[in-house]
Amino acid sequence: MPKEKGDMTEYQPLLKDFKNIDRPSRFPNKSLLLAVCAACIGGTFQYGYNVSIINAPTQSVQNFINQTWIYRYDAQITEELLTLLWSTIVSIFTIGGLVGSLVGGTLAMRFGRKGALLLNNTFALLAALMMGISHLTGYYELLVIGRFLSGVNAGVGMCVQPLYLGEIAPRALRGGMSMGTSIFLTGGLLIGQVIGLHELLGKAEHWPILLSTTCIPAVLQLLILPWFPEPAVPAPGPGTRRRSQGEMEDMEKERISSLGVKAKKPWEVFSDRSIRWQLITVILINSAQQLNGINAIYFYASYIFRQAGIPEDKILYVTVGTGACECLTALTCGMLIDSLGRRALIIGGYTLMAVWCICVTITVTLQELSPWVPYISMACVFAFILSFGLGPGGVTNILTIELFTQATRPAAFMIGGSVNWLSFFFIGMVFPFIVNGLQQYCFLVFLAICSLVVIYIFFIVPETKNKTFLEIQEEFLSRDLIKKRKSEGSNGHGVNLLSMPL
């Protein structure tokens, strides 16, 4: 292997202090863990945090809109218009997320992974400013602008942060380190729920402060992340980290394979037949992540808890428990993913979710049959959330990283992120009609979706654990080539498959 690697373009793990550098460590070192925290605090943490904190001040913000309307027009706002304005404030976040996912890949290629994450904090700081001064200025329109900018921040973070984590981590730890995306997302959801409690910032007069706290993660990332390197390979010399020989060889191979290849645009990825199955997989798992029923579970959670006899004023605390449950499962998935593999977790997760869809449908239908049925429904709710966190909640982003090489990975994240946000917007718009039409039987729709994903992954997606990006790509290519040659052989060409180069 050549000594000079200054032009190497593949990304390096933050590894150091190995006694035996040819043997990869099974545990991340402190530098790698700190880099994960620095990237995630201003990335997917912001997504989870902004999704959850908007729930607590619902009534307070609606009162502010009503008072502003009376002051401006000397008339009471209609219930329909108030609902429309509030729905706009909430849902504009997904539109911003879609915009962020579309520009995130471009920012990552232009400014680098770390540079894009740092630049992305501009949107979070502007959003916090807009939402923080909305009450002082008397302009509820600033809430719409602030939520849109928060969405852009979340969209860019969801696109760029997994790229950064997947490319700084060594192959043996890639799954666990990339789980930082899911761990910090669920952590953001949980902390947002806790901060929104009445005892903290959930009081009516505190809602501008609550919504402007999105600036805190942004400031933390601006202070911490600059101390960590852009995940490009430095030239050898004093201070260069020691790496395992196998890692260096893998990255040299990918560097050679990518020489002269420019990063592809999304439309170029769609036209590249060599990554057809990878692209279909990313679109499927990203759409399924939003359409698998997790939103329906949270929608029905309050009703199920109420039926179980939990007092109305205590339901919010039980809901915080569901957030803690999802956060703990993300941590568990992070510890298991590099030992059990991606396929086992995502297939197992979706399979269990399909089972719990059946159980929730039955128990919600039979709520009045016996006093103990609501408690079974509660158990099913927590079991569904556990299954989601162990499978699709954690593995989806990792597969998007591993199914593509450097030239196509940013575009793949732009496509996957766009599909994810569009699915989020779609389920938000359509789900109320599904519930009104099907009631608790809406879970049968999610049962079908979970089952289809399990079948697809079982037959199409290979295990990616402990494989280089090139090895994964070659596995897909080999599969297509085998199918093609089998087809030619069945047509009488007599192709000898044993001679096929692997």
Side-chain angles (χ1 to χ4, degrees):
M1 187 173 63
K3 293 182 180 180
E4 292 297 320
K5 302 181 186 69
D7 61 340
M8 192 187 292
T9 56
E10 184 49 51
Y11 302 93
Q12 292 287 329
L14 296 173
L15 299 173
K16 61 180 180 179
D17 301 329
F18 282 120
K19 292 181 180 179
N20 179 6
I21 64 172
D22 290 323
R23 183 178 179 181
S25 174
R26 295 181 59 189
F27 302 100
N29 59 55
K30 184 170 65 174
S31 297
L32 183 56
L33 286 175
L34 290 174
V36 170
C37 293
C40 293
I41 192 66
T44 49
F45 179 89
Q46 287 278 41
Y47 171 87
Y49 190 72
N50 279 287
V51 166
S52 62
I53 61 166
I54 197 63
N55 296 319
T58 298
Q59 192 59 51
S60 302
V61 173
Q62 289 181 351
N63 290 338
F64 164 64
I65 295 172
N66 189 35
Q67 292 166 6
T68 304
W69 192 273
I70 293 172
Y71 178 78
R72 290 183 186 178
Y73 307 108
D74 199 24
Q76 195 86 9
I77 190 172
T78 64
E79 190 68 30
E80 292 78 12
L81 184 55
L82 179 62
T83 303
L84 176 63
L85 288 173
W86 173 246
S87 299
T88 302
I89 291 171
V90 174
S91 60
I92 198 70
F93 178 77
T94 61
I95 304 300
L98 176 61
V99 172
S101 66
L102 290 172
V103 303
T106 303
L107 291 176
M109 290 184 284
R110 185 182 179 97
F111 300 103
R113 280 38 166 172
K114 188 180 80 169
L117 287 173
L118 292 173
L119 181 64
N120 186 38
N121 290 299
T122 305
F123 300 113
L125 294 174
L126 287 174
L129 176 65
M130 295 292 178
M131 292 187 288
I133 67 173
S134 59
H135 186 262
L136 291 174
T137 59
Y139 288 101
Y140 55 77
E141 293 86 354
L142 292 177
L143 290 173
V144 179
I145 299 172
R147 286 287 292 175
F148 175 80
L149 291 173
S150 293
V152 175
N153 170 261
V156 173
M158 290 284 286
C159 178
V160 180
Q161 179 204 298
L163 283 174
Y164 183 84
L165 297 185
E167 294 174 344
I168 64 171
R171 190 200 323 165
L173 301 174
R174 196 167 59 215
M177 292 302 95
S178 296
M179 275 302 300
T181 296
S182 179
I183 292 169
F184 274 80
L185 190 155
T186 55
L189 285 167
L190 175 61
I191 292 177
Q193 290 172 338
V194 173
I195 294 294
L197 293 175
H198 187 75
E199 291 81 356
L200 296 176
L201 294 178
K203 295 180 180 178
E205 63 270 21
H206 291 157
W207 70 262
I209 301 174
L210 174 63
L211 295 182
S212 63
T213 53
T214 57
C215 68
I216 298 175
V219 171
L220 286 174
Q221 186 174 71
L222 287 172
L223 292 174
I224 301 171
L225 188 59
W227 294 95
F228 295 92
E230 177 70 33
V233 179
T240 300
R241 296 174 182 83
R242 301 173 70 193
R243 305 172 180 89
S244 76
Q245 188 69 21
E247 291 284 344
M248 296 294 289
E249 291 174 355
D250 293 339
M251 293 176 182
E252 176 68 5
K253 288 177 183 177
E254 187 165 355
R255 180 190 73 83
I256 294 171
S257 71
S258 62
L259 286 176
V261 179
K262 294 182 178 179
K264 292 190 175 183
K265 303 294 190 295
W267 54 89
E268 294 174 329
V269 171
F270 275 108
S271 61
D272 189 347
R273 294 183 62 84
S274 67
I275 53 173
R276 174 184 53 187
W277 285 112
Q278 293 97 308
L279 185 60
I280 293 173
T281 301
V282 164
I283 292 174
L284 178 71
I285 61 177
N286 275 279
S287 58
Q289 192 176 30
Q290 296 294 343
L291 305 177
N292 57 26
I294 188 66
N295 298 294
I297 282 290
Y298 278 115
F299 179 86
Y300 266 98
S302 296
Y303 166 74
I304 291 172
F305 297 153
R306 199 175 294 113
Q307 289 295 107
I310 296 174
E312 192 70 33
D313 60 336
K314 303 297 182 184
I315 288 178
L316 184 60
Y317 298 94
V318 181
T319 304
V320 171
T322 62
C325 176
E326 190 173 352
C327 189
L328 287 173
T329 53
L331 286 167
T332 305
C333 184
M335 292 185 286
L336 294 176
I337 192 166
D338 284 317
S339 57
L340 295 181
R342 287 57 158 160
R343 270 171 57 91
L345 286 177
I346 196 167
I347 290 176
Y350 272 114
T351 301
L352 289 173
M353 288 167 68
V355 172
W356 301 128
C357 280
I358 298 172
C359 295
V360 170
T361 303
I362 295 173
T363 55
V364 173
T365 303
L366 303 176
Q367 284 284 312
E368 308 298 331
L369 184 64
S370 175
W372 50 264
V373 174
Y375 295 100
I376 298 179
S377 298
M378 281 185 62
C380 291
V381 166
F382 280 94
F384 190 99
I385 295 170
L386 282 167
S387 303
F388 175 79
L390 281 173
V395 182
T396 300
N397 278 321
I398 298 171
L399 283 178
T400 308
I401 295 170
E402 295 181 328
L403 295 182
F404 296 88
T405 56
Q406 182 189 346
T408 54
R409 200 174 295 132
F413 265 96
M414 292 171 68
I415 295 169
S418 300
V419 170
N420 199 301
W421 283 101
L422 285 172
S423 300
F424 189 6
F425 180 75
F426 174 79
I427 197 69
M429 296 295 293
V430 175
F431 179 67
F433 299 100
I434 296 176
V435 172
N436 289 336
L438 298 177
Q439 304 279 318
Q440 69 272 20
Y441 297 104
C442 68
F443 287 100
L444 298 179
V445 176
F446 305 124
L447 165 64
I449 293 172
C450 292
S451 301
L452 288 173
V453 174
V454 168
I455 294 170
Y456 176 87
I457 293 175
F458 182 82
F459 287 105
I460 300 298
V461 182
E463 178 57 67
T464 59
K465 181 182 72 171
N466 288 337
K467 294 179 182 177
T468 66
F469 300 127
L470 285 178
E471 287 172 345
I472 297 166
Q473 185 183 48
E474 288 169 0
E475 190 163 346
F476 276 100
L477 291 173
S478 298
R479 180 180 300 178
D480 287 342
L481 189 55
I482 289 173
K483 289 180 180 179
K484 181 179 178 182
R485 295 198 172 189
K486 280 184 178 179
S487 175
E488 291 174 352
S490 64
N491 290 332
H493 295 294
V495 177
N496 182 9
L497 293 178
L498 295 177
S499 64
M500 185 187 69
L502 298 174

